[in-house]
Amino acid sequence: MLAMNYRGPYRVRADQKPMPEIQHPGDAIVRVTRSCICGSDLHLYHGLVPDTRVGTTFGHEFIGVVEEIGSDVENLKVGDNVLVPFNIACGKCIFCQQGLYGNCHESNPQATAVGGIFGYSHTAGGFDGGQAEYVRVPYADVGPMVIPDDMDHDDAVLLTDVVPTGYQAAEMGAIKPGDTVVVFGAGPVGLMAAKSAWLFGAGRVIVIDHIEYRLEFAKRFAQCEAYNFRSLEDVVLFIKKTTDYIGADVCIDAVGCEAAGNAMQTITGRKLMLQAGSATALHWAINSVKKGGVVSIVGVYGPTDNLVPIGNVVNKGITIRANQASVKRLLPRLIEHVRAGRLNPKEMITHRVPLEEVSDAYHIFSAKLDNCIKTILIPSSANK
Amino acid sequence: MENKDFERKDIIGWGIDANPLDVPSYPMKLRNENDNKGMTWERPSQQLAQVEILTSNERPTITAVFGTPNPPSGLSGKIRRYAFKFSESSYGHWLPLLLADRVNMIEGVVDDFKRGHFPNIFSELGGKSELKHNPKGFARKVLVGLAITAAIVMVCRRDNDDEDDEY
Ligand SMILES: [Zn+2]
Ligand SMILES: [Zn+2]
């Protein structure tokens, strides 16, 4: 079968690889009909995530058709169209029982901090991902959901990660009606966080980024204010001034380890890798939130240390909440929102690319070329 | 201060999830009788390991399922095995893994050659799309590349000259 193949930083290609097989009675094999390239795939693509082995297939956002099921699978049958959450979760461990599907303890032997994630290095369980014609889906009875008949498959594929992650970012912000919410990062997750903030009653939503076309898109898509930090002398000062010198009620970090905007962070975090990535967005979030405010983090950081202004967290009495989204927990609510037209994820899709052209698709997204917001990869076997 | 550009009432769904009790997903922590009892849940059946799986030393067992592609091999595999002697809170774990990834990259090129596949680096880097969407940037990179190559050639030549002098 054809699959994306990682060869080292910035180098990927579409290659023939062996078909995945059932390896556990709870597995299913899914024929992929659409997969996405995610902003967090770029951290892998840039070689920043430890234990990303050459030969790996990325892709944690995908939907497809069930081709084969293991002997224990009861909730799915061959031929079902399924959307597959990016978290691999057993449904049985104490964390799954608490709805923390993003923190499952039975899906990743290589690390305990993070659960299993499709196509996200051996640090996230060593599973191959969905940027391929076929993919092995463990615990098929737990995560995958049959796509409702009335749901557009372009919406469905975005419900596997970016929509729940953006929504959970807003949820973790504990937004109260009238709150000013600042979202750092105008990528798909930041856009969904900004959009979701309104659902929780935000009074004002501000998005900060440095790429002009993404800011223009954010204004239209999320009906928010959008500012380019390159044109602001000091982001934190700007937010203080625009909030009557109080600070934002809620700040959301939807950027993570590859933040631009601070030379020292860029050098120590991105170039020398002395930190778990540049923490610029997190600094801005902590420093521009009001005292007693909430900082919500969904940006991806590496597993090592970061230089974080923890003194300000203490002095300001900030609540910090952070997690990988628990997709399964959020799906019922989000499907309601998509059905009612309150969330319109598929409008973010700007590129549809055959799986064969995966190298160019990654480069376009990584280099922010051609006004790219969200790319969907389509294998030629999708319409079989 | 208010946002002048948009009226809240014009935003579809404004405030619909404002009441935490109305959001079915709101309670993140559903406590149950298994809390504080350690790894006592009814574990899923165990996947058999047919390749080498490295396991974090912060857990007593292997997880019930795991990924099997790309088991550790070669020099990078040796480095990875070493890394797994250290806990996830230690640089001794993560830095060797990053080093192993770089070594693995070279092993990947060697592997390609062994299979008679000459990796098309230009295409793997997405060169075609750079040429199409960022021709100026592409030209700049080519010029920088040529300059570096020329510099290396000159340095090498000088080295050769030095060697000539010694003889
Ligand atoms: Zn993603
Ligand atoms: Zn679990």
Side-chain angles (χ1 to χ4, degrees):
Chain A
M1 65 152 186
L2 196 70
M4 175 271 193
N5 183 342
Y6 172 75
R7 306 308 301 172
Y10 298 89
R11 282 178 54 219
V12 301
R13 66 186 185 225
D15 252 347
Q16 286 297 323
K17 288 181 73 170
M19 280 284 288
E21 287 168 7
I22 301 263
Q23 298 192 31
H24 181 269
D27 286 357
I29 303 298
V30 168
R31 173 166 55 86
V32 178
T33 53
R34 281 172 179 72
S35 64
C36 303
I37 302 179
C38 177
S40 45
D41 285 331
L42 295 182
H43 310 321
L44 296 168
Y45 178 68
H46 297 161
L48 297 174
V49 181
D51 217 349
T52 304
R53 301 183 192 168
V54 166
T56 306
T57 295
F58 300 169
H60 56 271
E61 303 178 359
F62 63 91
I63 59 170
V65 181
V66 177
E67 287 280 305
E68 197 186 340
I69 51 172
S71 53
D72 281 358
V73 177
E74 289 173 354
N75 299 337
L76 297 181
K77 55 183 194 311
V78 170
D80 280 346
N81 267 294
V82 285
L83 82 81
V84 183
F86 75 92
N87 332 98
I88 299 172
C90 74
K92 288 185 168 174
C93 70
I94 45 169
F95 306 111
C96 284
Q97 285 179 45
Q98 291 168 359
L100 295 166
Y101 296 97
N103 309 94
C104 177
H105 212 61
E106 288 285 10
S107 55
N108 177 11
Q110 277 96 342
T112 56
V114 62
I117 300 173
F118 291 99
Y120 214 78
S121 84
H122 276 70
T123 299
F127 298 91
D128 265 348
Q131 290 168 8
E133 290 184 300
Y134 296 87
V135 59
R136 170 192 170 214
V137 175
Y139 299 132
D141 264 347
V142 182
M145 199 190 83
V146 176
I147 301 172
D149 285 338
D150 62 343
M151 177 168 283
D152 190 315
H153 284 200
D154 283 351
D155 281 329
V157 76
L158 297 178
L159 281 165
T160 60
D161 178 3
V162 288
V163 182
T165 300
Y167 183 86
Q168 188 175 306
E171 184 198 51
M172 291 191 298
I175 297 163
K176 283 173 266 314
D179 275 359
T180 295
V181 179
V182 179
V183 180
F184 293 94
V189 168
L191 292 168
M192 288 316 303
K195 190 100 184 151
S196 303
W198 296 119
L199 301 178
F200 291 92
R204 190 174 174 197
V205 178
I206 299 170
V207 170
I208 305 285
D209 200 282
H210 66 119
I211 294 164
E212 221 37 63
Y213 79 82
R214 301 218 295 188
L215 290 162
E216 283 310 310
F217 191 92
K219 278 186 212 166
R220 284 199 315 275
F221 179 81
Q223 297 87 42
C224 60
E225 297 164 62
Y227 299 100
N228 190 331
F229 65 73
R230 303 240 188 251
S231 65
L232 303 170
E233 202 175 321
D234 182 327
V235 183
V236 175
L237 191 59
F238 169 78
I239 290 166
K240 289 283 168 63
K241 281 183 179 166
T242 191
T243 52
D244 220 3
Y245 293 93
I246 292 294
D249 300 287
V250 178
C251 283
I252 294 172
D253 172 359
V255 177
C257 63
E258 294 198 70
N262 178 303
M264 200 272 278
Q265 289 279 342
T266 301
I267 292 165
T268 57
R270 291 164 69 193
K271 304 289 182 211
L272 300 176
M273 295 209 252
L274 296 174
Q275 302 190 64
S278 148
T280 306
L282 187 53
H283 275 243
W284 286 346
I286 289 169
N287 291 331
S288 32
V289 80
K290 71 175 185 189
K291 294 173 201 175
V294 181
V295 168
S296 166
I297 312 168
V298 288
V300 173
Y301 288 90
T304 52
D305 305 353
N306 270 107
L307 299 164
V308 171
I310 199 71
N312 290 355
V313 174
V314 176
N315 288 336
K316 292 172 74 175
I318 295 166
T319 300
I320 295 186
R321 287 183 73 184
N323 207 350
Q324 300 278 354
S326 282
V327 178
K328 182 185 166 70
R329 174 176 68 86
L330 296 163
L331 277 178
R333 186 65 165 189
L334 294 175
I335 287 171
E336 237 178 271
H337 285 328
V338 172
R339 277 212 176 107
R342 294 173 208 127
L343 296 176
N344 44 351
K346 65 170 180 285
E347 284 179 20
M348 294 191 296
I349 298 170
T350 49
H351 289 65
R352 312 176 82 84
V353 180
L355 180 60
E356 285 81 355
E357 294 170 27
V358 68
S359 321
D360 290 313
Y362 264 91
H363 180 69
I364 287 173
F365 188 41
S366 167
K368 312 274 183 297
L369 302 177
D370 200 25
N371 292 348
C372 182
I373 302 278
K374 190 73 178 169
T375 301
I376 288 194
L377 296 168
I378 303 177
S380 57
S381 56
N383 301 313
K384 211 163 79 179
Chain B
M1 281 188 150
E2 284 293 317
N3 174 8
K4 306 283 189 304
D5 296 343
F6 302 97
E7 290 290 335
R8 280 182 218 168
K9 63 176 174 11
D10 294 341
I11 289 162
I12 302 166
W14 182 84
I16 198 140
D17 286 340
N19 179 0
L21 299 177
D22 267 355
V23 182
S25 57
Y26 194 80
M28 276 178 63
K29 179 140 177 76
L30 304 168
R31 294 197 67 96
N32 66 46
E33 69 278 10
N34 291 334
D35 285 8
N36 311 322
K37 285 189 185 162
M39 292 183 68
T40 50
W41 54 90
E42 184 208 331
R43 298 193 63 207
S45 56
Q46 182 65 52
Q47 177 183 344
L48 295 175
Q50 281 158 337
V51 294
E52 181 183 0
I53 304 294
L54 299 172
T55 305
S56 165
N57 64 5
E58 292 189 36
R59 53 177 308 129
T61 55
I62 193 167
T63 51
V65 307
F66 41 81
T68 52
N70 311 302
S73 66
L75 177 60
S76 66
K78 284 203 180 102
I79 304 171
R80 293 193 209 284
R81 282 179 207 117
Y82 169 80
F84 274 81
K85 291 190 190 349
F86 300 90
S87 84
E88 292 163 58
S89 56
S90 161
Y91 274 114
H93 182 66
W94 299 113
L95 294 181
L97 285 177
L98 281 167
L99 173 68
D101 288 348
R102 299 296 101 88
V103 171
N104 197 195
M105 179 184 81
I106 299 161
E107 289 170 338
V109 175
V110 173
D111 218 47
D112 271 345
F113 279 127
K114 271 191 196 157
R115 282 182 220 176
H117 176 92
F118 188 82
N120 185 341
I121 308 263
F122 174 79
S123 141
E124 287 177 355
L125 290 167
K128 208 174 68 186
S129 55
E130 178 76 9
L131 201 56
K132 181 170 172 198
H133 298 293
N134 190 19
K136 273 187 199 157
F138 183 81
R140 198 167 51 233
K141 274 176 208 161
V142 170
L143 286 177
V144 170
L146 284 175
I148 291 172
T149 315
I152 292 172
V153 169
M154 276 163 70
V155 169
C156 291
R157 273 209 189 138
R158 215 179 45 208
D159 283 354
N160 283 339
D161 291 349
D162 291 348
E163 280 170 30
D164 289 346
D165 288 347
E166 280 169 29
Y167 284 102

